[in-house]
Amino acid sequence: MKEPVFLVMIDKALAQTRAIEYAARRAKVLGGHVALLYVVEPVGIEAWGGVEKAVLDDAFDAARKEMLKHEAFVLNLSGREAKTYYRKGERMSALVDLIETHQDISSVVVAAKMDDGSKNPMMQSLLSDKGLKKMIVPIIVVPEGLRSDEAPT
């Protein structure tokens, strides 16, 4: 039986701490891994090639710095290093492409932010008819308010 790989999308705007924690704890219990995906979206200034490249380089540098914190968190909780992926493009497309090209990914873990009534665009996209039709792995939704001691092990 292959080791489960729990994929979590990383983005400063997403409520992913609970999702990472859940994924890392499940990976530890099941002898699996956590995969982290950071997608840098296009900046929309393609006509200015040099400027776009500089902006994208800065965005990828920021993504790497952000990922380092999450990688350390995963290692601390699961005892195993996270697999990390960086992509450029639209988030949902990048997510689907990664899952299709990396057959070892067994599920996507997302956190549901409920405290301020705001909508998580990634969550909406994943759970829409369009998103669900593209998913070939289960989606695990973790309530942001779930305490560590309440999470299944």
Side-chain angles (χ1 to χ4, degrees):
M1 186 172 139
K2 70 178 188 172
E3 297 177 340
V5 176
F6 300 92
L7 176 63
V8 180
M9 280 201 67
I10 302 301
D11 184 315
K12 289 180 182 182
L14 299 178
Q16 72 250 335
T17 302
R18 285 289 178 228
I20 296 169
E21 184 176 19
Y22 178 91
R25 291 185 187 281
R26 292 298 297 155
K28 183 175 185 175
V29 168
L30 298 175
H33 283 87
V34 174
L36 304 173
L37 170 63
Y38 198 111
V39 179
V40 173
E41 294 191 287
V43 291
I45 53 175
E46 291 82 16
W48 302 359
V51 174
E52 181 190 27
K53 182 179 177 342
V55 170
L56 283 174
D57 287 348
D58 287 346
F60 275 104
D61 286 343
R64 286 183 193 94
K65 288 177 185 172
E66 181 75 16
M67 284 284 252
L68 286 174
K69 296 183 279 186
H70 299 299
E71 289 176 57
F73 188 50
V74 168
L75 181 60
N76 184 48
L77 287 176
S78 72
R80 297 179 95 171
E81 289 186 10
K83 298 178 181 186
T84 57
Y85 301 97
Y86 297 88
R87 298 291 186 271
K88 173 189 165 194
E90 189 271 323
R91 288 184 191 141
M92 188 65 179
S93 296
L95 175 66
V96 170
D97 181 59
L98 182 70
I99 292 168
E100 288 175 348
T101 58
H102 289 78
Q103 302 286 316
D104 61 334
I105 296 172
S106 52
S107 61
V108 174
V109 182
V110 294
K113 187 170 184 165
M114 312 258 188
D115 60 347
D116 65 358
S118 65
K119 304 278 184 192
N120 177 330
M122 191 61 186
M123 177 76 76
Q124 287 180 328
S125 185
L126 279 172
L127 299 179
S128 70
D129 287 343
K130 204 176 195 180
L132 285 174
K133 287 178 183 172
K134 293 179 182 178
M135 299 295 351
I136 58 173
V137 298
I139 300 168
I140 300 170
V141 180
V142 181
E144 188 182 42
L146 184 71
R147 295 188 328 252
S148 298
D149 59 342
E150 295 174 324
T153 55

